[in-house]
Short mmCIF file of all heavy atoms in Angstrom, two decimals:
data_model
loop_
_atom_site.label_atom_id
_atom_site.label_comp_id
_atom_site.label_asym_id
_atom_site.label_seq_id
_atom_site.Cartn_x
_atom_site.Cartn_y
_atom_site.Cartn_z
N GLU A 1 0.83 -1.19 0.00
CA GLU A 1 0.02 -0.01 0.00
C GLU A 1 0.87 1.25 -0.02
O GLU A 1 2.06 1.22 0.19
CB GLU A 1 -0.89 0.01 1.24
CG GLU A 1 -0.12 0.05 2.55
CD GLU A 1 -0.98 -0.12 3.78
OE1 GLU A 1 -2.18 -0.38 3.61
OE2 GLU A 1 -0.44 0.05 4.90
N GLY A 2 0.24 2.38 -0.24
CA GLY A 2 0.91 3.68 -0.19
C GLY A 2 0.95 4.21 1.25
O GLY A 2 0.01 4.02 2.01
N LEU A 3 2.05 4.85 1.59
CA LEU A 3 2.22 5.52 2.90
C LEU A 3 2.16 7.01 2.73
O LEU A 3 2.74 7.55 1.82
CB LEU A 3 3.55 5.08 3.53
CG LEU A 3 3.81 3.57 3.73
CD1 LEU A 3 5.23 3.35 4.14
CD2 LEU A 3 2.83 3.00 4.74
N GLU A 4 1.47 7.68 3.65
CA GLU A 4 1.47 9.14 3.61
C GLU A 4 2.86 9.70 3.98
O GLU A 4 3.29 10.72 3.45
CB GLU A 4 0.38 9.70 4.50
CG GLU A 4 -1.03 9.27 4.15
CD GLU A 4 -1.41 9.80 2.77
OE1 GLU A 4 -0.92 10.89 2.35
OE2 GLU A 4 -2.20 9.08 2.05
N ARG A 5 3.52 9.02 4.94
CA ARG A 5 4.86 9.43 5.43
C ARG A 5 5.66 8.19 5.65
O ARG A 5 5.14 7.12 5.99
CB ARG A 5 4.78 10.24 6.68
CG ARG A 5 3.92 11.49 6.62
CD ARG A 5 3.89 12.22 7.98
NE ARG A 5 3.58 11.32 9.07
CZ ARG A 5 2.41 10.92 9.43
NH1 ARG A 5 1.34 11.31 8.77
NH2 ARG A 5 2.27 10.08 10.44
N ILE A 6 6.97 8.34 5.58
CA ILE A 6 7.86 7.18 5.76
C ILE A 6 7.85 6.65 7.20
O ILE A 6 8.07 5.46 7.43
CB ILE A 6 9.26 7.49 5.30
CG1 ILE A 6 10.11 6.17 5.19
CG2 ILE A 6 9.95 8.47 6.26
CD1 ILE A 6 9.60 5.22 4.21
N ASP A 7 7.52 7.51 8.18
CA ASP A 7 7.50 7.06 9.56
C ASP A 7 6.32 6.12 9.88
O ASP A 7 6.20 5.61 10.94
CB ASP A 7 7.56 8.25 10.55
CG ASP A 7 6.42 9.22 10.30
OD1 ASP A 7 5.42 8.85 9.69
OD2 ASP A 7 6.56 10.37 10.79
N GLN A 8 5.41 5.95 8.92
CA GLN A 8 4.33 4.98 9.10
C GLN A 8 4.77 3.55 8.80
O GLN A 8 4.03 2.62 9.06
CB GLN A 8 3.18 5.33 8.12
CG GLN A 8 2.45 6.65 8.47
CD GLN A 8 1.34 6.92 7.47
OE1 GLN A 8 1.40 6.64 6.27
NE2 GLN A 8 0.26 7.55 7.99
N LEU A 9 6.00 3.43 8.31
CA LEU A 9 6.52 2.06 8.03
C LEU A 9 6.77 1.36 9.34
O LEU A 9 7.35 1.91 10.28
CB LEU A 9 7.80 2.18 7.24
CG LEU A 9 8.37 0.92 6.57
CD1 LEU A 9 7.41 0.45 5.47
CD2 LEU A 9 9.74 1.14 5.96
N LYS A 10 6.31 0.10 9.40
CA LYS A 10 6.47 -0.67 10.64
C LYS A 10 7.74 -1.52 10.62
O LYS A 10 8.39 -1.66 9.55
CB LYS A 10 5.26 -1.57 10.84
CG LYS A 10 3.95 -0.83 11.00
CD LYS A 10 2.75 -1.74 11.14
CE LYS A 10 1.47 -0.99 11.29
NZ LYS A 10 0.30 -1.86 11.31
N LYS A 11 8.12 -2.06 11.75
CA LYS A 11 9.35 -2.83 11.88
C LYS A 11 9.31 -4.03 10.93
O LYS A 11 8.28 -4.72 10.78
CB LYS A 11 9.45 -3.33 13.33
CG LYS A 11 10.76 -4.02 13.62
CD LYS A 11 10.87 -4.47 15.07
CE LYS A 11 12.18 -5.17 15.34
NZ LYS A 11 12.32 -5.58 16.76
N SER A 12 10.44 -4.28 10.27
CA SER A 12 10.70 -5.36 9.34
C SER A 12 9.97 -5.20 8.01
O SER A 12 9.89 -6.12 7.20
CB SER A 12 10.32 -6.71 9.97
OG SER A 12 11.08 -6.93 11.14
N GLU A 13 9.40 -4.03 7.79
CA GLU A 13 8.71 -3.76 6.53
C GLU A 13 9.62 -3.07 5.50
O GLU A 13 10.54 -2.32 5.89
CB GLU A 13 7.47 -2.96 6.71
CG GLU A 13 6.35 -3.68 7.42
CD GLU A 13 5.05 -2.89 7.51
OE1 GLU A 13 5.15 -1.67 7.50
OE2 GLU A 13 3.99 -3.54 7.67
N LEU A 14 9.33 -3.28 4.23
CA LEU A 14 10.11 -2.66 3.14
C LEU A 14 9.32 -1.53 2.49
O LEU A 14 8.07 -1.58 2.49
CB LEU A 14 10.46 -3.70 2.10
CG LEU A 14 11.39 -4.86 2.49
CD1 LEU A 14 11.40 -5.94 1.44
CD2 LEU A 14 12.80 -4.33 2.73
N ALA A 15 10.03 -0.57 1.96
CA ALA A 15 9.33 0.49 1.25
C ALA A 15 10.22 1.20 0.26
O ALA A 15 11.45 1.22 0.40
CB ALA A 15 8.81 1.55 2.23
N TRP A 16 9.58 1.71 -0.82
CA TRP A 16 10.30 2.59 -1.75
C TRP A 16 10.09 4.01 -1.25
O TRP A 16 8.98 4.43 -0.90
CB TRP A 16 9.67 2.47 -3.15
CG TRP A 16 9.99 1.19 -3.83
CD1 TRP A 16 9.11 0.18 -4.06
CD2 TRP A 16 11.22 0.78 -4.38
NE1 TRP A 16 9.72 -0.87 -4.71
CE2 TRP A 16 11.02 -0.54 -4.95
CE3 TRP A 16 12.51 1.36 -4.46
CZ2 TRP A 16 12.05 -1.23 -5.57
CZ3 TRP A 16 13.55 0.66 -5.07
CH2 TRP A 16 13.31 -0.61 -5.63
N THR A 17 11.15 4.81 -1.11
CA THR A 17 11.05 6.12 -0.63
C THR A 17 12.08 7.06 -1.29
O THR A 17 13.09 6.58 -1.83
CB THR A 17 11.27 6.16 0.91
OG1 THR A 17 11.05 7.49 1.40
CG2 THR A 17 12.67 5.74 1.27
N THR A 18 11.80 8.33 -1.21
CA THR A 18 12.74 9.35 -1.67
C THR A 18 13.25 10.19 -0.47
O THR A 18 13.96 11.14 -0.67
CB THR A 18 12.11 10.32 -2.70
OG1 THR A 18 11.04 11.02 -2.08
CG2 THR A 18 11.60 9.57 -3.91
N GLU A 19 12.83 9.76 0.76
CA GLU A 19 13.06 10.57 1.92
C GLU A 19 14.46 10.29 2.47
O GLU A 19 14.67 9.42 3.28
CB GLU A 19 12.01 10.25 3.01
CG GLU A 19 12.06 11.14 4.22
CD GLU A 19 11.95 12.61 3.90
OE1 GLU A 19 10.87 13.04 3.46
OE2 GLU A 19 12.99 13.29 4.00
N PHE A 20 15.45 11.03 1.97
CA PHE A 20 16.85 10.80 2.35
C PHE A 20 17.10 11.30 3.76
O PHE A 20 17.86 10.69 4.51
CB PHE A 20 17.79 11.51 1.37
CG PHE A 20 17.57 11.02 -0.06
CD1 PHE A 20 17.16 11.95 -1.00
CD2 PHE A 20 17.84 9.75 -0.41
CE1 PHE A 20 16.96 11.55 -2.31
CE2 PHE A 20 17.64 9.36 -1.73
CZ PHE A 20 17.21 10.30 -2.68
N LYS A 21 16.53 12.46 4.11
CA LYS A 21 16.81 13.10 5.41
C LYS A 21 16.40 12.21 6.57
O LYS A 21 17.14 12.01 7.55
CB LYS A 21 16.09 14.45 5.49
CG LYS A 21 16.35 15.21 6.75
CD LYS A 21 15.63 16.58 6.76
CE LYS A 21 15.91 17.30 8.03
NZ LYS A 21 15.21 18.61 8.05
N GLU A 22 15.24 11.61 6.47
CA GLU A 22 14.74 10.77 7.53
C GLU A 22 15.64 9.53 7.75
O GLU A 22 15.95 9.16 8.84
CB GLU A 22 13.32 10.30 7.19
CG GLU A 22 12.64 9.41 8.25
CD GLU A 22 12.28 10.20 9.47
OE1 GLU A 22 12.06 11.40 9.37
OE2 GLU A 22 12.18 9.62 10.55
N ILE A 23 16.10 8.96 6.63
CA ILE A 23 16.98 7.80 6.71
C ILE A 23 18.33 8.21 7.33
O ILE A 23 18.89 7.51 8.17
CB ILE A 23 17.17 7.19 5.33
CG1 ILE A 23 15.80 6.71 4.79
CG2 ILE A 23 18.14 6.01 5.37
CD1 ILE A 23 15.87 6.32 3.33
N LYS A 24 18.84 9.35 6.85
CA LYS A 24 20.15 9.79 7.31
C LYS A 24 20.20 10.11 8.79
O LYS A 24 21.15 9.76 9.49
CB LYS A 24 20.58 11.06 6.52
CG LYS A 24 21.94 11.56 6.84
CD LYS A 24 22.30 12.76 5.97
CE LYS A 24 23.70 13.29 6.26
NZ LYS A 24 24.03 14.47 5.45
N ASN A 25 19.10 10.65 9.30
CA ASN A 25 19.07 11.03 10.73
C ASN A 25 18.70 9.86 11.63
O ASN A 25 18.70 10.01 12.87
CB ASN A 25 18.07 12.18 10.96
CG ASN A 25 18.58 13.45 10.25
OD1 ASN A 25 19.76 13.60 10.00
ND2 ASN A 25 17.65 14.37 9.95
N ASN A 26 18.35 8.77 11.08
CA ASN A 26 17.93 7.57 11.90
C ASN A 26 18.59 6.34 11.38
O ASN A 26 17.96 5.39 10.96
CB ASN A 26 16.41 7.45 11.87
CG ASN A 26 15.68 8.62 12.46
OD1 ASN A 26 15.46 8.66 13.68
ND2 ASN A 26 15.27 9.55 11.63
N ASN A 27 19.95 6.37 11.40
CA ASN A 27 20.67 5.24 10.88
C ASN A 27 20.36 3.96 11.56
O ASN A 27 20.47 2.84 10.96
CB ASN A 27 22.17 5.49 10.99
CG ASN A 27 22.62 6.57 10.00
OD1 ASN A 27 22.09 6.64 8.89
ND2 ASN A 27 23.58 7.39 10.38
N ASP A 28 19.96 4.00 12.80
CA ASP A 28 19.67 2.75 13.54
C ASP A 28 18.27 2.26 13.22
O ASP A 28 17.97 1.14 13.55
CB ASP A 28 19.80 3.02 15.05
CG ASP A 28 21.23 3.34 15.47
OD1 ASP A 28 22.12 2.95 14.73
OD2 ASP A 28 21.40 4.06 16.49
N SER A 29 17.44 3.11 12.65
CA SER A 29 16.08 2.70 12.40
C SER A 29 15.83 2.17 11.00
O SER A 29 14.97 1.33 10.78
CB SER A 29 15.12 3.92 12.60
OG SER A 29 15.25 4.42 13.94
N TYR A 30 16.64 2.63 10.02
CA TYR A 30 16.44 2.23 8.66
C TYR A 30 17.76 1.70 8.04
O TYR A 30 18.79 2.13 8.39
CB TYR A 30 15.94 3.43 7.82
CG TYR A 30 14.67 4.02 8.30
CD1 TYR A 30 14.61 5.15 9.15
CD2 TYR A 30 13.45 3.48 7.82
CE1 TYR A 30 13.40 5.69 9.54
CE2 TYR A 30 12.22 4.01 8.23
CZ TYR A 30 12.21 5.12 9.12
OH TYR A 30 11.04 5.64 9.48
N GLU A 31 17.54 0.79 7.11
CA GLU A 31 18.66 0.25 6.36
C GLU A 31 18.30 0.39 4.88
O GLU A 31 17.24 -0.05 4.43
CB GLU A 31 18.91 -1.18 6.70
CG GLU A 31 20.06 -1.82 5.94
CD GLU A 31 20.23 -3.31 6.25
OE1 GLU A 31 19.58 -3.80 7.17
OE2 GLU A 31 21.02 -3.96 5.54
N VAL A 32 19.20 0.95 4.10
CA VAL A 32 19.04 1.02 2.67
C VAL A 32 19.41 -0.32 2.04
O VAL A 32 20.53 -0.77 2.10
CB VAL A 32 19.90 2.11 2.04
CG1 VAL A 32 19.73 2.11 0.52
CG2 VAL A 32 19.53 3.46 2.62
N ILE A 33 18.39 -0.97 1.42
CA ILE A 33 18.58 -2.29 0.83
C ILE A 33 19.17 -2.16 -0.59
O ILE A 33 20.04 -2.92 -0.97
CB ILE A 33 17.26 -3.08 0.79
CG1 ILE A 33 16.71 -3.23 2.22
CG2 ILE A 33 17.45 -4.44 0.15
CD1 ILE A 33 17.63 -4.02 3.14
N TYR A 34 18.65 -1.18 -1.32
CA TYR A 34 19.11 -1.03 -2.69
C TYR A 34 18.89 0.41 -3.18
O TYR A 34 17.85 0.96 -2.95
CB TYR A 34 18.42 -2.01 -3.65
CG TYR A 34 18.99 -2.01 -5.03
CD1 TYR A 34 20.17 -2.67 -5.32
CD2 TYR A 34 18.37 -1.33 -6.08
CE1 TYR A 34 20.72 -2.64 -6.59
CE2 TYR A 34 18.87 -1.34 -7.33
CZ TYR A 34 20.07 -1.98 -7.60
OH TYR A 34 20.65 -1.98 -8.88
N GLU A 35 19.91 0.93 -3.81
CA GLU A 35 19.78 2.24 -4.50
C GLU A 35 20.65 2.21 -5.72
O GLU A 35 21.69 1.57 -5.79
CB GLU A 35 20.16 3.38 -3.58
CG GLU A 35 21.58 3.38 -3.06
CD GLU A 35 21.87 4.57 -2.19
OE1 GLU A 35 21.37 5.68 -2.50
OE2 GLU A 35 22.58 4.43 -1.19
N ASN A 36 20.22 2.98 -6.74
CA ASN A 36 20.92 2.95 -8.06
C ASN A 36 20.56 4.26 -8.79
O ASN A 36 19.42 4.75 -8.64
CB ASN A 36 20.53 1.71 -8.81
CG ASN A 36 21.29 1.62 -10.15
OD1 ASN A 36 20.90 2.19 -11.14
ND2 ASN A 36 22.37 0.84 -10.11
N ASP A 37 21.45 4.72 -9.59
CA ASP A 37 21.24 5.98 -10.35
C ASP A 37 20.03 5.86 -11.27
O ASP A 37 19.32 6.82 -11.51
CB ASP A 37 22.46 6.35 -11.14
CG ASP A 37 23.63 6.88 -10.29
OD1 ASP A 37 23.34 7.26 -9.12
OD2 ASP A 37 24.74 6.88 -10.74
N ILE A 38 19.82 4.66 -11.81
CA ILE A 38 18.66 4.42 -12.74
C ILE A 38 17.37 4.59 -12.02
O ILE A 38 16.37 5.04 -12.60
CB ILE A 38 18.76 3.04 -13.39
CG1 ILE A 38 20.10 2.87 -14.15
CG2 ILE A 38 17.61 2.79 -14.34
CD1 ILE A 38 20.28 3.85 -15.29
N LEU A 39 17.34 4.21 -10.73
CA LEU A 39 16.08 4.29 -9.98
C LEU A 39 15.85 5.62 -9.23
O LEU A 39 14.81 5.83 -8.67
CB LEU A 39 16.02 3.14 -8.90
CG LEU A 39 16.24 1.70 -9.43
CD1 LEU A 39 16.07 0.72 -8.30
CD2 LEU A 39 15.19 1.39 -10.53
N LYS A 40 16.89 6.48 -9.23
CA LYS A 40 16.78 7.75 -8.54
C LYS A 40 15.54 8.48 -9.04
O LYS A 40 15.25 8.48 -10.22
CB LYS A 40 18.03 8.58 -8.79
CG LYS A 40 19.15 8.24 -7.84
CD LYS A 40 20.34 9.21 -8.03
CE LYS A 40 21.46 8.92 -7.11
NZ LYS A 40 22.61 9.86 -7.32
#
């Protein structure tokens, strides 16, 4: 489903996001599984 905000993502769940700031400031909360220039 679609999320209104990335912080709605629950533990052990995957998501596509463009929210770099949230991920950067919460390194312990999120893990980047895959990123690529083609998908940017």
Side-chain angles (χ1 to χ4, degrees):
E1 62 186 8
L3 304 171
E4 297 299 329
R5 303 179 313 278
I6 193 60
D7 57 18
Q8 292 179 325
L9 194 65
K10 297 177 182 178
K11 186 178 181 180
S12 300
E13 288 184 336
L14 295 169
W16 291 107
T17 185
T18 62
E19 188 56 70
F20 303 116
K21 183 178 179 181
E22 182 71 23
I23 299 169
K24 185 177 179 181
N25 293 338
N26 296 275
N27 288 326
D28 295 334
S29 301
Y30 298 96
E31 179 184 352
V32 177
I33 302 299
Y34 187 77
E35 61 179 322
N36 184 275
D37 287 342
I38 302 299
L39 304 184
K40 277 185 178 180

